[in-house]
Amino acid sequence: VEIKEPATNSDKISVYPNPATEMLNVEWEMMNEEAIKNNWRVEIVNALGQVVNKDELVLRNNKASIYLTDLSNGVYLLNLKGNNSQTISKRFVIAK
């Protein structure tokens, strides 16, 4: 059984704009060395629990953008998955 340390400030992210229209920005407030080396994957889940988008997250200066043009209006869950089994989840809304 693996015991994980509680989330630290390095794991805090902002997701904006919320509600989003065409693009969602993801920004780490602070990022530790381990988080920088992580290969982050994005999973967007709709209100029914269906995965509607999967992609690699390309970070530039602790920021990344996700295009939402193929998704319809609604409430979604953004899951950021690191290669150390860490998952960070944020809820966002699309309103076009």
Side-chain angles (χ1 to χ4, degrees):
V1 174
E2 181 181 356
I3 299 174
K4 294 192 180 218
E5 294 295 321
T8 63
N9 286 340
S10 64
D11 299 326
K12 291 187 178 177
I13 63 168
S14 299
V15 176
Y16 61 92
N18 196 2
T21 54
E22 306 270 325
M23 185 184 333
L24 187 68
N25 297 301
V26 179
E27 182 175 354
W28 268 256
E29 293 172 15
M30 293 173 46
M31 189 174 242
N32 64 22
E33 192 66 30
E34 181 182 337
I36 291 170
K37 286 189 247 175
N38 236 332
N39 290 324
W40 294 96
R41 293 177 313 283
V42 175
E43 197 176 77
I44 297 177
V45 181
N46 67 14
L48 300 174
Q50 300 165 321
V51 177
V52 294
N53 190 356
K54 277 186 177 182
D55 206 353
E56 291 290 320
L57 192 68
V58 179
L59 289 172
R60 290 189 182 90
N61 299 324
N62 298 354
K63 297 178 187 177
S65 296
I66 302 165
Y67 291 94
L68 307 170
T69 52
D70 295 340
L71 301 177
S72 56
N73 290 349
V75 178
Y76 294 87
L77 188 64
L78 174 71
N79 292 323
L80 301 171
K81 298 182 175 218
N83 50 357
N84 62 356
S85 301
Q86 177 185 23
T87 300
I88 300 170
S89 297
K90 291 284 186 175
R91 191 174 306 260
F92 71 96
V93 175
I94 296 177
K96 297 181 183 179

